[in-house]
Amino acid sequence: MSHTPTPQLPSTDHEAAAVPERSPDDDNPTGTEGKAEPTDKKAALTAEPGETKTSDTDAADDADAADDADAADDADAADDADAADDADAADDAYAADDAYAADAADDADAADDAYAADAADDMDAADDADHTSDTDATGTAELAEPAETAEPPAPHGWRERRPGLARALARTVTGLAVVLVLFVLIVPNDITKFEPARFVRIPAEGILGAGLLLLLPPRTRKVMAVALGMGLGLLTLLKLLDMGFYWTLDRPFDLVLDWILLDDAQSFMKDLAGEGGALAATIGLIVLVAALVVLLVLSVLRLTRLMVSNRHTTGRTLIVLGTAWITCSTLTLEFSGVPVASHSAATLVENRVEAVRSGLRDGKAFQKQADDDAFADVPPDQLLTGLRGKDVLITFIESYGRSAIDDPQMGEPLGRTLEQKTKELTDAGYASRSGWLRSPITGAGSWLGHSTFLSGLWIKNEQRYRNLVSGDRLTLTEAFRRTGAWRTVGIVPGTQMAWPEGKYFGLDHIYDSDELGYRGPKFSWSTMPDQYTLKAFEELEHGKEGRGPMMAEIILTSSHNPWAPIPKTIPEDRIGDGSVYHSLQKKEGKDPAEVWKDPANVRDEYRKSIEYSVTSLVDYVAKYGSKDTVLIFLGDHQPNKTVTGENPNYDVPVSIVAQDPKVLDKISDWGWTNGLKPADNAPEWRMDKFRDRFMTAFGPQGGGTP
């Protein structure tokens, strides 16, 4: 590239004016006298051959002077040292406040930086920062080096003072952002599935998300990055909820129906860590979730900036990862049994959306099932005729599951207790039969098990429960009330607030925690010991003289988790109003926080709580029962996975106890085991089948099955 030479102008009396030296703080380069100061000799430029230096100046043909010789007639005309009018020269070296960067002037052919000598527009070369540039016969000299008086700016901030540390920190933060985003995408939502193989997968969601951000325009990209970060935060919250629900209920969190269960989780924390500990845990969890969302948003924004600033590298990387993902997916490659190509986050979201849709459809299907009731139109005088004149006690033992009997650590000592109590009942004139029922839930949600047993419908979630109690489906308890042959009562010590659903279940009177008159301490979640509950039932209802037959639904709560402290069986004459338990709890009760440090201790305390509940119930019946007593007792669900281990079944024991042999004769075809301990091969029914079988067996025809 060549330049058109600039015509040489004839010399004048003042062929070249000296450029005044300028201080960075001086706005008037000529000074107060209007005279130009001599230039620094070290800053003067070498003149081209053929040019003559004047005797009045030390820097003729200075590279900082203008080309136009006419402009040098008057030294005062050079007020602005930055640029001469109509000149093709470069910026004045003394106008460069930053000695390391001299910006090119209009139409200048000079290089931008005296040290770097980068090529400017339309220049042929600016190769060496230590030499002057070729003037191409234009008579314009380029700056060879910055002014001697200019100094590099002092570093500002710790990043400039310690650039190595700043780079290391930036790389560390970027690495953590990558790890956090990948962790959220591939971490399983079930804590029992935490294994190394699940953390070495390629997430398809990450590849697609990065590609999308790379293609979007700047403004839309930033909005999308924030949205994706918040989405990852919500995904993390959902996975945390799933972990808790899989641990306690062996199922994922229901986005529509399960929010009410968070109150139970808080109650569990109160029992485990006290009021202050539960409050601290709740606040800490909220802060953690909020911080996690913020960190994910910041991480996605940071990674987005990094990808955009390295588009080509990012694009090639995404192509490689995408190809690897497709290859691994096509070939179904696995690492330790886990697919390398992952789309678990997308699958989780898809499944949860489908669960919401299924829930909406399930409501209609459930209503059809509820309306199809074989006993809805049976006349009251034909209901439960085989039990007329009997006192029927339907008793639920909290968390009494099959694991308590089958587990070697718990089953052997509990088995001895069941054998002993069977013998005590036999000595008192009773016989018993036992089998298995499959509950719709495990870990928690007792009311779902209760309502399934009583309604003959599979109540597996809160939506079904609400639909049930708002309808008119005949429950087993309502069937007793409808006959007019029984007074129906509910003994519900765990109910500490209004329970309007009680009317639906056909109970003439409900005794909640307040009406039972207890004045002692709580035992973890349980408001009172089972021994006190049964004593209160005897005094308030069962022991009244002149009463008629009754049907009672009794909920025993001492075996509710966290299973510490557990009350001890004491002589009945010491129970009183329960105040005695204050000293007993302090003397013998265990701290649940200590118990839960070791799963073996948890299982042992759980087993002891079941033994206490069974003992309290059998002792009560043996003492206060009669030839007209019929006891039905069962568990409502299995305990959580700390007790059951992985993949538990949903079975719970169920027993029927009576003195009258005719009662047990009516269920002789059920195949249940003699005694209070069901055999391994005893029949296993779904819990919702019990109502119809029971009402059929004790209906007019008797002894049959529906």
Side-chain angles (χ1 to χ4, degrees):
M1 183 183 297
S2 61
H3 297 283
T4 304
T6 304
Q8 185 75 26
L9 297 178
S11 300
T12 62
D13 292 340
H14 302 281
E15 184 170 333
V19 178
E21 184 175 10
R22 181 179 182 184
S23 170
D25 297 326
D26 192 357
D27 291 331
N28 184 6
T30 63
T32 57
E33 299 297 326
K35 296 181 180 180
E37 294 291 329
T39 60
D40 192 324
K41 292 182 179 182
K42 292 182 180 180
L45 302 176
T46 304
E48 288 290 302
E51 292 183 344
T52 304
K53 294 182 179 180
T54 66
S55 60
D56 296 335
T57 179
D58 294 326
D61 293 328
D62 192 318
D64 303 306
D67 285 4
D68 192 344
D70 292 335
D73 289 340
D74 191 346
D76 294 333
D79 291 332
D80 188 357
D82 294 332
D85 294 336
D86 300 326
D88 294 328
D91 292 341
D92 190 340
Y94 295 105
D97 291 333
D98 187 345
Y100 293 95
D103 294 336
D106 294 339
D107 301 323
D109 294 329
D112 289 333
D113 190 300
Y115 287 96
D118 293 335
D121 293 338
D122 300 325
M123 286 195 60
D124 293 327
D127 297 327
D128 192 350
D130 294 330
H131 298 81
T132 58
S133 301
D134 185 1
T135 59
D136 292 331
T138 62
T140 302
E142 300 295 326
L143 291 175
E145 61 184 28
E148 185 179 31
T149 58
E151 296 181 357
H156 298 289
W158 70 271
R159 288 184 176 85
E160 295 183 11
R161 291 194 300 270
R162 299 180 180 178
L165 178 61
R167 286 193 297 272
L169 182 60
R171 291 170 182 172
T172 301
V173 173
T174 300
L176 291 175
V178 173
V179 170
L180 179 60
V181 171
L182 289 177
F183 180 82
V184 169
L185 288 174
I186 63 180
V187 66
N189 61 339
D190 186 348
I191 197 171
T192 62
K193 295 181 180 179
F194 273 55
E195 50 191 15
R198 293 188 177 274
F199 296 93
V200 291
R201 296 179 293 167
I202 305 174
E205 302 87 355
I207 299 173
L208 295 175
L212 176 63
L213 290 172
L214 205 62
L215 294 175
L216 292 174
R219 290 186 179 179
T220 307
R221 181 188 303 124
K222 186 173 183 179
V223 173
M224 180 58 68
V226 172
L228 289 177
M230 295 182 67
L232 289 175
L234 295 176
L235 176 65
T236 305
L237 175 60
L238 178 58
K239 288 187 174 183
L240 290 174
L241 289 170
D242 278 354
M243 290 177 193
F245 271 67
Y246 272 118
W247 181 69
T248 56
L249 304 178
D250 199 35
R251 65 172 178 82
F253 180 77
D254 191 310
L255 287 171
V256 178
L257 305 173
D258 282 343
W259 296 103
I260 190 175
L261 297 181
L262 297 182
D263 289 338
D264 292 332
Q266 189 176 30
S267 297
F268 173 74
M269 286 304 302
K270 288 180 181 179
D271 300 332
L272 194 63
E275 190 81 27
L279 180 61
T282 302
I283 295 175
L285 183 61
I286 294 174
V287 172
L288 175 63
V289 171
L292 194 57
V293 173
V294 172
L295 284 176
L296 284 166
V297 170
L298 295 177
S299 296
V300 174
L301 287 172
R302 183 179 186 88
L303 296 179
T304 300
R305 291 193 297 268
L306 180 65
M307 290 190 301
V308 172
S309 62
N310 298 273
R311 279 183 176 274
H312 297 296
T313 302
T314 302
R316 289 193 293 268
T317 302
L318 292 179
I319 291 175
V320 171
L321 290 175
T323 303
W325 190 95
I326 294 173
T327 302
C328 293
S329 178
T330 303
L331 300 178
T332 63
L333 296 180
E334 296 183 348
F335 178 70
S336 297
V338 178
V340 176
S342 169
H343 51 83
S344 59
T347 301
L348 175 64
V349 174
E350 180 183 0
N351 290 344
R352 212 46 54 87
V353 171
E354 180 58 31
V356 173
R357 294 175 179 172
S358 298
L360 297 176
R361 294 193 298 267
D362 180 70
K364 297 179 180 179
F366 176 77
Q367 190 58 51
K368 292 182 179 179
Q369 296 174 16
D371 293 339
D372 184 15
D373 185 357
F375 293 92
D377 299 325
V378 175
D381 61 350
Q382 295 183 32
L383 291 172
L384 302 168
T385 55
L387 292 173
R388 298 298 172 97
K390 305 296 184 183
D391 290 330
V392 181
L393 311 180
I394 300 175
T395 306
F396 293 94
I397 296 180
E398 174 67 36
S399 302
Y400 182 23
R402 185 165 186 165
S403 296
I405 295 175
D406 286 352
D407 183 87
Q409 178 182 347
M410 300 179 290
E412 184 176 346
L414 179 59
R416 290 195 298 266
T417 298
L418 293 175
E419 290 176 3
Q420 179 184 346
K421 293 305 171 182
T422 299
K423 184 177 182 304
E424 291 179 7
L425 287 173
T426 301
D427 293 342
Y430 292 89
S432 55
R433 302 288 186 272
S434 298
W436 303 106
L437 297 179
R438 182 167 299 116
S439 175
I441 42 108
T442 182
S446 299
W447 62 95
L448 303 181
H450 300 170
S451 55
T452 295
F453 180 82
L454 297 175
S455 70
L457 293 172
W458 194 246
I459 312 300
K460 62 181 180 179
N461 55 44
E462 190 68 18
Q463 176 177 272
R464 288 193 166 203
Y465 178 77
R466 292 173 182 173
N467 289 343
L468 173 69
V469 298
S470 62
D472 57 2
R473 170 83 175 190
L474 180 67
T475 63
L476 188 55
T477 46
E478 166 63 19
F480 279 98
R481 189 199 65 81
R482 186 176 294 183
T483 64
W486 285 274
R487 171 174 167 79
T488 58
V489 298
I491 309 298
V492 288
T495 301
Q496 304 176 57
M497 58 186 69
W499 187 43
E501 300 97 316
K503 294 181 179 180
Y504 163 75
F505 287 101
L507 300 174
D508 294 323
H509 190 82
I510 297 173
Y511 293 91
D512 59 15
S513 59
D514 291 334
E515 288 195 59
L516 290 172
Y518 181 66
R519 298 293 180 266
K522 289 182 63 176
F523 283 78
S524 297
W525 184 88
S526 179
T527 57
M528 62 193 69
D530 292 344
Q531 193 179 9
Y532 177 88
T533 299
L534 293 167
K535 174 180 175 292
F537 168 61
E538 179 64 22
E539 294 175 350
L540 294 170
E541 286 286 345
H542 188 266
K544 287 182 178 180
E545 294 184 5
R547 66 168 179 83
M550 71 165 46
M551 189 288 303
E553 179 187 0
I554 304 172
I555 313 297
L556 300 181
T557 61
S558 290
S559 53
H560 194 288
N561 68 6
W563 306 301
I566 302 170
K568 303 295 183 181
T569 301
I570 61 176
E572 188 174 319
D573 57 5
R574 292 185 58 195
I575 295 176
D577 64 358
S579 300
V580 66
Y581 288 107
H582 283 288
S583 60
L584 294 176
Q585 186 190 63
K586 292 179 181 179
K587 181 180 179 181
E588 301 179 3
K590 292 186 178 181
D591 183 356
E594 291 298 321
V595 170
W596 278 77
K597 291 180 180 180
D598 185 353
N601 288 338
V602 173
R603 288 193 291 273
D604 194 48
E605 294 302 305
Y606 162 74
R607 184 261 306 171
K608 291 177 182 178
S609 73
I610 297 298
E611 288 180 347
Y612 170 78
S613 295
V614 171
T615 297
S616 298
L617 180 59
V618 171
D619 288 353
Y620 171 81
V621 172
K623 183 175 182 179
Y624 293 107
S626 68
K627 61 180 179 63
D628 292 325
T629 298
V630 177
L631 170 66
I632 305 163
F633 75 95
L634 68 154
D636 47 13
H637 56 71
Q638 284 261 53
N640 65 37
K641 287 186 176 182
T642 305
V643 176
T644 63
E646 295 305 312
N647 303 316
N649 61 49
Y650 282 38
D651 290 352
V652 297
V654 57
S655 300
I656 296 181
V657 179
Q659 282 196 23
D660 187 349
K662 295 180 180 179
V663 172
L664 297 182
D665 287 346
K666 291 183 178 296
I667 63 169
S668 59
D669 61 342
W670 287 7
W672 285 15
T673 306
N674 290 331
L676 299 180
K677 180 183 177 182
D680 291 341
N681 61 351
E684 301 173 1
W685 302 343
R686 284 195 359 165
M687 191 178 281
D688 59 336
K689 304 302 181 184
F690 182 85
R691 187 206 71 156
D692 287 2
R693 287 181 178 271
F694 186 83
M695 294 182 68
T696 300
F698 293 100
Q701 64 274 35
T705 56

